[in-house]
Each structure stands twice: as structure tokens, then as C-alpha cells.
Amino acid sequence: MTRRTKLWLLFVVIWLAVLSIRIPVWSQPSIYETIREAHRLLEQIDEPSHQTIASIAQARLDRPRAIDVTHYHLQIELTPDPPRLAGAVTIEGRATAPVEAIQIDAYENLIIDAVRSDGIALPFQRTADRIILGLPHALSTGESFTITVDYHGVPVTSGVLGGGMLVARHGAVYVMANLSEPYAAPTWWPCIDHPSDKATIDIEAVVPRAYVVASNGVLERVEPVGNRKTRYVWREEYPIATYLVSVAATNYVQFEESYIALDGRTTMPLVYYVYPEHLAAAQQKFPVTRSAMEIFAPLFGEYPFLAEKYGMVEFPWGGAMEHQTMTSMGDRIVHLGDLTVQDFISHELAHQWWGDWVTLATWHDIWLNEGFATYSEVLFFERFYGWDPGELMDRSYDDHRAFGRMGGTVYAEDLENPFDDHGAIYTKGAWVLHMLRHILGEREFFAMLKDYGRRFAFANASTEDFQRVCEDHYGAPMDWFFQQWIFAPGRPIYHVEWEVMPTETSDDYTVLLSVEQVQPQRIPGRPEELERVYIMPIDITLHYDDGSSETRVIWNDARRQEFTFVVPRPPTRIGFDEGHWVLKEVR
Ligand SMILES: [Zn+2]
């Protein structure tokens, strides 16, 4: 072999190595398609509940908000064969207004053995989805209480709520793990099930001896219970919403790596619990988590649960669920392609900020979880591979149809199934952030995101709260933006025409651009003359024959509007939002 050949081979080897690390867009024309399919898969199976019971949803609406839970102590025994649950929940809280009865959510598959307070049994009334406790004396505002509920039951494994404590087998071994979002937590543990009532929680789970339990927060200890069982004690000291509380148990094997915080000193474990037969695949696929963490922390603010950990645990479901500090990953995900796994990992990790740290105020606001996590996929791909975010949004997150799969409203109108219109809450929700990014500008947009996180840290935010933060960074009211993009269905449909004419008084040329909006939908909250008008700044790019171009911004706020530009030479082509910063259909 000659020296030249060796050098040439060395070059090829290095180039192949580079290719395997970073996949350039041009080398794989199907990348946009792959990401499109990956996200679609995520959206479809990330949609937890098809058959939410109306009465449960109704309960979310009419709950008297007179109780604030501060801490839960959940003791639960999981028996897989036959599937059984048994446990005790101690609820500590206080009254935020005078209270005569406390209502605790507990679905009818749970049999309530007793309700106790200070060692005294309390009388209670049972409904299909609640326990109503008569108190020995009414609680006055600010008065605290401690109540323990003893219960047992058969897990609701599927169908009824689309979630609950799932029981399945991988090979010959059982796995039990929950999926509670949005309303299924009370099918496996009694609680005050509203996302706005966060509390800390200690979880003690007793399982068959060969099982390992993965859960929220920090693992305090593992201890034998007789000869045949083991108790795992986990403690979550950050406030957590009930739908994010999670217990997963099977013969998991564990591996971990560590994340170095933004301060350059603090380290935090990244812990992965997988089926033994998936260990090799997971060891290959999961480490991208650290890269995603290193991408998100500078953008959103430090990982919110730094004193504990971030983990992922396999569970018997198709999708993934962002349980606080311990995401549950469907047990088939590890076998999917790299880009698809990266899509899931980045989406669920981003939920730790958007969903877990800042939690939706009501299920109407689910886009604040899902739109944010979806746009975070794009932020991850943008920074990990160096891809253009507009190109990604256009090619992987758009069907280019005004009333296609993203044709609904971003605001979830139907509380019986807030995930119903998933194209709108996930993908159109992501477009809302993408558009805000261009309107606010790069610096201000990311400053706004961090500010939003800080203001609602470990608490809850509504769509209105988010709008206020955007307005503070925009420096003016943004009703015009939120009305059309959050509360109206569809998107604008534009007709665009242009012509170039020499000016009469100089050597310059006049470009006449006419923009017409032809979409039929009304925008709520608008005066009549603007009720069918999308108000948006739009980039117009003038291209010249020498290959140069310039971009000007028009403020489009009428159904039919003309814009003129005076230019020194005639453009050969005009681009209408060619950076893909506006969700639209152009006809
Ligand atoms: Zn999600």
C-alpha cells in the first residue's frame, strides 16, 4: 500500500467516523421525513386517554379549591399475579377557606378500608370516583389536617381510563407501572387530583423480592420485608403534581452516568432502569440524554430537580410519560431508530421544565406542556445537528393544510379529553413558540422562556400567565397574537402577488406586493372588522440576479393589503416568509 493510499484510506475512515457522529442533512434526504414520523408516533401514543370518564373530568371542574395539600406519604404494595394493590396514603394539608367536608379522589376500583385522623376513624361517603369525609369539626382557614386512607383493590389495567396501574409481562416476568395523565392517578392511589395542588411525597413501595422499584426523587433505602418481599423508599422533596407521581416495578437492571451542572461543579446522576434483555440497546441509545440536558439547561435555566436526579424507566406502554425526575419510556422505544429515540428523549426531558417544574394550571392549558416539549425537540435537533429550525418546522412539523391535522385550537376546549386534538396542542402549540421566537427575536425569546420558568417555578401557569410574560418581553399587549393562534382554529391562507415597475422620477424600481387573506374562520375576541384577519409581521425577501438578497418586514393586518418597496434594481424573485416563521397555507 502506498503512502498516498494510506492517507486516502485514513481520510475515508475519519470521514465515516464524522458521518456516524453527526448526520448531515444532505446525506440523508429522509431525515425530515424520519423526524416527522417520529413526532407523529410520539403524539399519537403520547395521547394517554381516549375514554376518560365524563364524571371524572367533571370532578376536575367543580372541585372546591378550599384545600391545599402540602405532603403525601404513600405506602403501596404491588402484587402482580394476580394483580393487586394495597396501601395507605397519609395526606397532610391545610384549609384555604372554611371547610366542612374533604373530598378525596379515589376511583371505584379502590376499596376504602378506613379513613383515619389522629387515630380516630372518620365516617365517609363513597361515590364512583371520590371519598367524601365528614370532619369531626369544620376546619377554619389556615387550619392544618392529617388524614390517612387505607385501601386495596384490583388495578385498572386498560380500557376504562386508558391509564392507571398497568400490569404486563416482558418474557416471563411481570411489570407494574402507572400511567396517570390526565385523570388516572386515583385509580391506584387516593389523592386530591388536581394539577394545581402540588405537594411533596414519600413513596414506600413493597414488591416481590426480585423486583426493583423506580420512582420520583431520591432513593432513600431498600429493605427486606420478610423473606419474599422488598421495600423501596423514595422521597420527592420538590413539589409534584399528582399526575406525575410514578411507581414502576419489575426485575430492572440499572446503569447511570452523570450530568455536570451549569456551575461546572455540581454533578447529578442520570439513572436508567431497563429490562435486562434491553440493557445493551439502552446503553447505546440513552446516553444522548446528557447531550439534551446540556442543550436545554443553558436555554431554559438549570435542570430544575438538580438536588435529586433525572431518570428514565421502561414501562409496558407504547409512548412515554414525563414523570417528575423519572420519565417512563415505552418498552419498544429502545428498538426504534436513533432519530426517533432522540425525539422521545428530548421531548420527555424538556417536560421536566415544561410540565413538571412549571405545570399547567388546568387541562385547558395542556399546550403549555405539549407545545413546549414539541418545540424542544426542534431546539434539540437544531443544536445537536446544526439544522435550521425553520426548515425543520416546515418539513417535519407541518402538513401545510389550514384544516388538516393541526386545524383545531391550541387551547384544549374539551376537558373530558384534553388530548383529543393532539395535532393542535402538540404541533401547532410548537408553532406558537416558533412564531414568538421570530417576533421577539432570539435574545428576547430565550430570555422570556427563562423568565417564564423562574416566575412559575415549582408552581403552575395558565395560558394567560404565559401571555403576560410574553408581553413583558415584547413591550406591548399581545392579545392580537394569542387570540388568533391559541383560541382560533386553523391558520391564515394567503394569496400573494407582486409586480415590478420603473419609477417615473428616478432610476429606481417600485415593487408592488399584494397580500390577501382568504381563510374562513373567525377569531374570537376581535372587533368585527378584524375578526377574520391574522395580524402578523412577515418577512419579505427580495432576490437579485447577482445572487444577493435583502429582507424587509411587512406588518400584515388587513384582509387585503398592498405594500410597496422602492429598490435600485428589479428583483428576480420575491420570498414570502421563506425562513418559515409563520404557520400558514399559501395558495
Ligand atoms: Zn409530551
Side-chain angles (χ1 to χ4, degrees), residues 42 46 322 347-348 351 370 373 426:
L42 181 149
D46 200 46
E322 65 272 19
H347 179 104
E348 303 306 331
H351 270 311
E370 300 305 345
Y426 284 77

Side-chain angles (χ1 to χ4, degrees), residues 341-406:
V341 176
Q342 288 164 9
D343 195 65
F344 274 87
I345 285 178
S346 57
H347 179 104
E348 303 306 331
L349 175 62
H351 270 311
Q352 298 295 316
W353 283 265
W354 316 124
D356 298 4
W357 186 43
V358 178
T359 304
L360 72 188
T362 73
W363 292 102
H364 290 300
D365 305 299
I366 183 64
W367 80 276
L368 293 175
N369 289 14
E370 300 305 345
F372 278 57
T374 300
Y375 196 56
S376 300
E377 298 165 26
V378 176
L379 295 173
F380 168 79
F381 286 126
E382 176 186 347
R383 280 161 172 79
F384 192 67
Y385 291 112
W387 296 341
D388 180 75
E391 202 70 18
L392 266 171
M393 291 305 285
D394 180 53
R395 295 176 66 174
S396 301
Y397 294 85
D398 195 2
D399 60 2
H400 304 103
R401 288 163 55 217
F403 291 96
R405 55 184 295 282
M406 299 151 66

Side-chain angles (χ1 to χ4, degrees), residues 78-85 153-155 167 174 176:
L78 302 173
T79 309
D81 186 21
R84 292 284 182 272
L85 298 166
V154 175
V167 185
Y174 279 95
M176 292 180 80

